[in-house]
Amino acid sequence: MINHRRHKRVPITGSATLKFKNNDEIKSIQALPVDIALGGIGLYSDDPIEDDTDVSITINFISVDGVKTDSIEGCVVYNKNIGSIYYMGIQFNKELNPENQPVLYDHIHKILTLG
């Protein structure tokens, strides 16, 4: 299988809150981040979000410097039902960068330079 991803994924441990619009109502669900790259994030959730749904993500995660929080916007591009949970792939609207998401960017950069 050929990997077409532009950026290397790194593990991320913590929690995430995803907010999105559904039938003109703002909904919020909790998810567990699995991995993250400069272009997107993979998460597990009890509740699915349909593909092509815009989401606002607040991520609380464990870094080498303690618990950190950062936020980013994206769009659900992948959903897979795995038993009673769902795996979602979310593509960020803009790649992570040190100006807009300094905490997440620093987390990825530190892991990539250690490995």
Side-chain angles (χ1 to χ4, degrees), residues 3 5-11 35-40 96 108-109 111-113 115:
N3 184 350
R5 290 188 178 87
R6 293 185 325 171
H7 302 291
K8 185 169 174 61
R9 292 176 172 207
V10 299
D35 54 31
I36 191 168
L38 294 177
L96 288 175
I108 292 172
H109 180 68
I111 290 175
L112 291 175
T113 55

Side-chain angles (χ1 to χ4, degrees), residues 1 6 16 18 26 36 39 49 54 61 65 83 101 112-113:
M1 179 178 228
R6 293 185 325 171
L18 284 67
I26 301 295
I36 191 168
I49 300 176
D54 292 326
F61 62 97
D65 303 321
Q101 296 81 28
L112 291 175
T113 55

Side-chain angles (χ1 to χ4, degrees), residues 14-92:
S15 64
T17 301
L18 284 67
K19 292 185 179 180
F20 59 100
K21 197 179 262 190
N22 185 6
N23 298 326
D24 293 326
E25 180 183 342
I26 301 295
K27 296 221 172 191
S28 178
I29 66 167
Q30 297 298 308
L32 296 174
V34 178
D35 54 31
I36 191 168
L38 294 177
I41 189 168
L43 309 110
Y44 288 118
S45 172
D46 290 335
D47 304 300
I49 300 176
E50 290 185 30
D51 287 359
D52 299 320
T53 299
D54 292 326
V55 294
S56 176
I57 310 164
T58 301
I59 306 166
N60 299 299
F61 62 97
I62 300 168
S63 77
V64 294
D65 303 321
V67 177
K68 305 284 184 174
T69 300
D70 213 339
S71 298
I72 191 159
E73 308 290 318
C75 183
V76 177
V77 294
Y78 179 79
N79 260 305
K80 173 102 174 138
N81 179 256
I82 305 171
S84 62
I85 62 170
Y86 296 86
Y87 177 81
M88 283 186 286
I90 297 175
Q91 182 176 354
F92 299 141

